Amino acid sequence: AQGRGTAGSKVLEFACGTGSTSIIHAPLVSKITGIDFSKNMIAIANDKLNELEAKNIEFICTDLQNFKPDSEGYDVILAMSILHLLPDRDEKLIELKKLLRPGGFLITSTPCLNDMAPKIKPLIKFGGVLKILPKVQFFDLTELETTFTNIGFEIEKSWSPGKKKASFHILKNS
């Protein structure tokens, strides 16, 4: 498999939102596909794409379960600021692992809210019930990293830019 983010890499961005991350990375890779279940987000991503000359990006409105990849697997999958929003996080990670080539990389950024905001947990949960905030999952860094290794990822790099900041991971598909 190609190395992470090399010119020959095929990349999938899971939950790409408005496509900004895919667009930034497109010049560095062979092909990048962004998927998101939100029609509105994909419409914005495609509007951005129409203003560019990039030919190696595509955005697809789909969820992970119904996604039909067009290759034998991806060298890199990006899952940025999404894992804390998934009630079925572990199942989604297993699905993402299946889409990675052996030796491929899953790159994540994840707010571990039990570490970052334990005192406001009731307020955040209440906001989710009222539908004024998204429903979020509370876990700490240790739980997240245990999940990664239990699923079969090798943690190649783990860091955070500061206290009460998201955790970043580069995970190798073994």
Side-chain angles (χ1 to χ4, degrees), residues 13 15-26 32 34-36 40-46 48-49 52 57-59:
E13 184 181 8
C16 68
T18 63
S20 296
T21 301
S22 291
I23 289 168
I24 289 169
H25 287 88
I32 189 161
I35 64 170
D36 201 294
N40 292 337
M41 293 292 174
I42 292 297
I44 294 168
N46 280 320
K48 289 179 183 180
L49 186 56
L52 302 173
I57 308 173
E58 75 174 324
F59 294 112

Side-chain angles (χ1 to χ4, degrees), residues 105 148-149 152-157 170-174:
F105 295 92
F148 291 151
T149 56
F153 287 109
E154 177 185 327
I155 299 173
E156 185 159 292
K157 178 122 176 131
I170 298 174
L171 309 167
K172 188 173 183 179
N173 186 20
S174 48

Side-chain angles (χ1 to χ4, degrees), residues 160-171:
S160 178
K163 201 171 190 178
K164 297 192 177 192
K165 302 283 184 184
S167 296
F168 292 82
H169 290 88
I170 298 174
L171 309 167

Side-chain angles (χ1 to χ4, degrees), residues 81-137:
S81 298
I82 187 64
L83 298 181
H84 67 295
L85 298 175
L86 302 173
D88 57 348
R89 177 196 69 212
D90 297 6
E91 290 81 10
K92 291 290 189 271
L93 285 167
I94 291 167
E95 290 178 53
L96 290 172
K97 188 175 189 311
K98 290 177 186 174
L99 292 172
L100 272 174
R101 290 181 178 164
F105 295 92
L106 174 63
I107 301 173
T108 71
S109 67
T110 308
C112 296
L113 295 174
N114 271 351
D115 294 332
M116 295 170 60
K119 293 180 181 176
I120 63 170
K121 185 175 183 176
L123 181 62
I124 293 173
K125 283 190 171 198
F126 187 65
V129 169
L130 293 179
K131 297 184 180 181
I132 57 174
L133 292 173
K135 289 187 178 181
V136 297
Q137 307 303 310

